[in-house]
Amino acid sequence: MRRFPEYFTIWHIAGHYGLRLVAWLVLAFLILPILVIVPLSFNAEPFFTFTPGMLALEPEAYSLRWYQEVATDQRWTLAIRNSFLIGIAAALLATLLGTVAAVGLASPWMPFKRLITALLLSPMIVPLIIIAAGMFFFYTSFGLVGTYLGLIIAHAALGVPFVIITVTATLAGFDRSLFNAGLSLGASPVKVFWDVVIPLIRPGVISGGLFAFVTSFDEVVLVLFLAGPEQRTIPRQMFSGLREQINPTILAVATLLVVLSIALLLTLEVLRRRSERLRGTGA
Amino acid sequence: MKHRSLLLASALALGAQGAAAQDLTVTSFGGAYGAAQKEHMIDPYVAETGANILFEDYGGGVAEMKAQSESGNIQWDVVDIEVIDLERACSEGYVAVIDHSILPPGDDGTPAEEDFIPEALHECGVGNIVWSVIFAHREDAFADGGPQTIADFFDTEAFPGKRGLRKRPQVNMEWALLADGVAPEEVYELLATEEGQQRAFAKLDTIKDDIVWFDSWSQAPVLLNDGGAQMVQSANGRIYAAIEDEDAPFTMVWDGHVYDLDVWSVMNGTDQEEAALDFIKFATRTVPLSGMQDVAYGPTRRSAQALLPEEVKANLPTAHLEEGIKADGIFWADYGESLGEKFNEWLLQ
Amino acid sequence: MAEITAAPPRAARRLAPEDARNAAREVRAQRLRAFLFVTPLLAFILFAFVAPIASMLFRSAYNPTVADLVPATLEALEDWDGEARPPDAVLTRFAVDLKRLAEERTSGQLAEEVNRYLPGTSSVVKSTARSLRRADDAALAEGGANLLLEADDAWGEPGIWRALRKSGQVYTASYYLTALDLEMTRDGTIQPRDTQIYLKLYGKTLWMALIITVLTLVLGYPLAFHMAHSSTAHANFLMVFVLLPFWTSLLVRTTSWIALLQTNGVVNSTLITLGLTRDPLELLYTQFATIIAMTHILLPFMVLPLYSVMRGIDPSYMRAAMSLGSRPIPAFLRIYLPMSLPGLSAGALLVFIISVGYYITPALVGGTDGQMISNIIAFHMQQSNNWELAAALGSLLLFLIVALYWLYDRFVGAGNIKFG
């Protein structure tokens, strides 16, 4: 039995357990809807619901057919390839530009810092539908609509704020005298950047890159407006599937994506711990 | 290292783009119909020519074609289009004019011009199927047989329950007038007038609270199946396929059906016009067309019709012509825009 | 050492003039260097993001379509007083233009543009174009006016010509008026339109965003509180449950809600099994579905800032108050709540801003009455192809968001956003 301070009355204790109950209920609300799709994705029937057979745990009510369909349907395999291709390219672009810029923004001499920071972070705040409409109008005149390049640029712009935020946070613990020491020893700023700064802020850069990747990987509004059929991504394919024909293939893909996000979550946790160790701040 | 991976990614991106330029994008309606087209048209074509085809789904209508055309980003090459929308797509230049002399004769040797039924050779399209918009209901949802007529579909007292309708004015406006007692041959004439339109909306108002809207034909059997609606508007083939293949407890009602043709068209301005026409020539040959019987759609070539067994013919729209009306593509070319607008305002009210 | 010469300017004032100049030069060099680091990204963002937004703003007031389609007719209409039917010469010129459009297959575009100013005109233009396509060129140049009037007597009304002239204006505020449910009458006064759509939708969007914000707050506050007052290990464990949904694809979470809420879905089957209802409830494709799914999706955005603020609140304040005999609720309201306010306002504004511009979830689960303003923008972009109206609606939404962001920045500070 847990020990409570002596001034606690029975109501305090009830409140304590009540709060705990509420907290767990909210957690259940957060997590259960995501988990419910996992068993549904093994449905042997082409429906989105638990069949009586599934509830009775009959083995023949379950099957891998929807996973097979994902693996063999040309549209899904293309979408998977596109998602990784666009996500990786957009993340690299955003990380490269964002990291370099974050170094400048972290400098105490940066002019117009507030304004420029706000500008660089704004893709995160402007509703996607507005960005999508604007890009559709503007990219059309450069022939970028319906191309991989257009999508990569668009997604990189969305990923930039995350890179800025994470890298700036790592740079906050970065001792600038190291940079200046490198310069005073005669190295060029570029060399100092690659050899001194990057290794130190690497955890921040990597997690920023991961954020940028996930942003692109999960993004569907810009894809709806800017992509042609050849650039279909996983979320785009899911979106049209949910609109046009609901079948458990989507659930199979969704389950795979849940597994992927668990992997990402673990990676980020490892990175966070390493970053804290490097900066000597965390436990 | 970062440099290298970036280079790699750009190389990949460019490579992918290069490869994708060869893909022919064929857009159709998905679901059971799409599956039949894949089996009888796409797959054999790919096997014969080695072409790479991206088979896309859309929900019908001209909006997507229009957006591609007006922004100059033509992304589809071949599109399966309902004649109810074709006239408009053609007169507004979204789809290209097709020279019918390129079409091969039927397998029995009949020249194409004679082999196709007359409506099937449109200035901008080559006939694919004869199909129909019908409504269907669940057998278990109603006692004593359920709704039998379009008027029953609008009768929420005798037949309570949700009605699934495709979210567009086409067919819904026609049905509203039919249900309101307008003679089939006067429907389009009346719809061209302000009073007729108001009358149709007023009739739709009587069931508005019971309507479940959907965007794509493939959703119709799903809605009926999972109980989202007790009766749905549907392309006849979707319901037929659900009954035949999945033993779904559905009943089709042919009263007041609106029959129409579907054609293959080529997007105007595509850089793959030749490949697109080549595909259409293949897909509209006798044998591929006759494969559409899988989903109870009538082929538009007489030589293909001749291949159908009698029991299949009984389920085709052509066996029920006197119960229905023909969709009027010209009417919808003229009024699609303004009725679409009124329809959307009506939806938001 | 660079560190010393580059001391901040305030210290420089006390140095000798020469040193001060050097220091100032060094500062300028540092400023330039810092700026150079930012330049590539700035250029990229200007091209990839700022210019598109600017082009949308421009588009909302700029539409050259009609002016490009029928320049000759518009020129002829310039001298018309707008009262009676324009002279036959104008009608003939238009008939010639329209035949050309019909042959080029662009008459549909004209029909659509004019229709926006005079609903119902689209069919007049299209059917006329259809009949003029067959007309003989010479006869058209001669008696185009008559052919036009024969095709449809609507061409005898001045209203259609006013609509044509109006739609020919290249720069116009009319899309903003429409977006605000207003219209300009012939004498230039502005009045509400007959059909009120968009203001209502903006109102509904704000209202739904507010409900979602309140719901995430009601659910998120106790959870964050519980986590903040657990041991670090336990809190990290619970954090996984918050972060997993946060990291899970939006489409996946929306898919889940479809599986849960559909007619024979998990929620309905459970309710029926428990005997709480006999017939399945209509849950999916409703406003309720939009609100509950968005609450689920945005809850982590509320919990994370709340948690990081609550974690920093010293529990001894509450303990002190309670050990001095304060009741829990007053102690909470007077001490804890004010201290957690920064996290609360950050989370609430973030959730509110994100919900106002949400598109995907309402589009998939919202049915007809669960649609938000973003959905109507998408509708005008993709279905009705009224891009100018979409741009005007989008611009208004953008102004709204910028105002909210400004509030956010003022009270919370945009740089303080953290993830994980």
Side-chain angles (χ1 to χ4, degrees), chain B residues 116 119-122 125-129 261-264 284 289 300:
Chain B
F116 279 98
E119 304 92 326
L121 291 182
H122 188 275
V126 180
N128 189 4
I129 52 163
L261 268 65
D262 250 29
V263 300
W264 287 115
T284 57
L289 276 185
T300 47

Side-chain angles (χ1 to χ4, degrees), chain B residues 136-188:
Chain B
H137 60 85
R138 283 186 74 95
E139 283 166 6
D140 50 12
F142 304 98
D144 49 81
Q148 308 289 329
T149 64
I150 288 293
D152 291 351
F153 189 91
F154 282 77
D155 186 346
T156 50
E157 265 173 40
F159 304 96
K162 292 282 171 191
R163 284 109 163 105
L165 285 176
R166 192 169 144 194
K167 202 197 241 172
R168 60 169 186 173
Q170 283 86 346
V171 184
N172 298 332
M173 303 290 285
E174 285 97 317
W175 278 10
L177 288 187
L178 285 175
D180 210 25
V182 175
E185 59 278 7
E186 285 164 15
V187 165
Y188 284 106

Side-chain angles (χ1 to χ4, degrees), chain C residues 174-185:
Chain C
S174 66
Y175 297 105
Y176 279 98
L177 291 180
T178 311
L180 292 167
D181 289 332
L182 299 170
E183 66 186 358
M184 197 185 285
T185 55

Side-chain angles (χ1 to χ4, degrees), chain B residues 226-245:
Chain B
D226 74 10
Q230 279 69 52
M231 49 183 110
V232 293
Q233 181 181 64
S234 174
N236 66 306
R238 312 269 172 178
I239 299 299
Y240 175 83
I243 296 172
E244 285 293 299
D245 304 344

